[in-house]
Amino acid sequence: MHYDAIIIGGSFAGLSAAIYLARARRSVLVIDAGKPRNRFAAQSHGFFAQDGSSPAAMITTARKQVGAYPTVTIMDSVAGDAWKEDDRLMVALEDGAVHSSDRLLLAFGVSDVLPEIAGLAERWGQSVIHCPYCHGYEFSERQLGVLQLSPVSQHQALLISEWGPTTFFLNGGAGPDDAVLEQFQKRGITIESRSIEALVGPGADLSHVQLSDGATLALDALFIGPQQYLTSAIAEQIGCKLNEGPFGPSIAVDDMKMTSVPGVYAAGDITKGGGHTVTFASADGVMAGLAIHRSLAFGAF
Ligand SMILES: Cc1cc2nc3c(=O)[nH]c(=O)nc-3n(C[C@H](O)[C@H](O)[C@H](O)COP(=O)(O)OP(=O)(O)OC[C@H]3O[C@@H](n4cnc5c(N)ncnc54)[C@H](O)[C@@H]3O)c2cc1C
């Protein structure tokens, strides 16, 4: 079937774009695999009027509201491939069905590569976290740790110490230089050179970490800044220019959220090297929705 726009990814960015296009009375297909990045967290924090809501509840409400518009179709599926055929943008689903559109919005999010440490993956989004603005408040003045995974981790430790006493785990890497060390000392950040062997605690909570020499250290939350990859290969397949950042690739877009491929737009985490939040993803989606509508209405990309 042919649509004005196809949106790959029906989460914060994709559904925010869809509602603007729906209200502009355009036909929209939203394809969603149902795995938003923050699905590991019980609560989402910091989004206007939704502080503490569950990510799943926010998306369920948005899907209901967006899906109520008669020109919107939401499909629970995975887009496997996309390509251009003359002026049309084609999308193939994993089941082989092919749909076409005049504009395509990529909003499929990023995935995190978690360090392979025993007990870490099952605590992701609960007591192993990445964003202090999202989840740091709940651990105020408790025992905090930052695991060194990249050069950015040292800056992360300086920031995290705003929330409570912080231990910086070298994780087999080099220690900070003298200038950073001075800042660590000013902020009371301690450095731990022994590697973490395991995270331990009841359920998804953390009570302590087990170190390489068998000793234990009390810890309530471990912050990490993991590498990320684009959840779908479709951006590369269709020829979008990518940027490389310290955490992985992102899709290059202009101010109107258009990629380097005319008619193909991108929004949300996939377009940013960092600063990933629900608020920014949603705002991006709104911008993309407006831009797509105007390009459909006035004939230019
Ligand atoms: C553990 C954790 C906790 C977080 N907590 C907060 C918080 O408290 N507050 C906050 O503001 N931010 C938080 N974030 C950040 C927030 O999750 C992201 O910024 C936000 O989800 C980005 O929205 P998005 O729409 O760009 O991508 P996503 O929410 O990741 O959605 C992408 C959607 O596209 C779908 N998809 C992927 N590939 C395909 C495909 N090929 N075909 C069809 N669909 C596809 C996915 O299944 C998913 O549904 C957190 C992140 C993490 C990892």
Side-chain angles (χ1 to χ4, degrees), residues 148-163:
Q148 177 163 248
L149 293 175
S150 75
V152 183
S153 304
Q154 296 183 7
H155 300 282
Q156 191 183 20
L158 291 170
L159 182 67
I160 297 308
S161 66
E162 283 282 299
W163 277 265

Side-chain angles (χ1 to χ4, degrees), residues 9 11-13 32-35 37-38 45 79 108 134-135 269 277-278:
S11 178
F12 302 100
D32 186 46
K35 290 183 179 165
R37 188 173 166 213
N38 55 356
H45 288 284
F108 47 67
C134 302
H135 303 290
D269 283 3
T277 69
V278 163

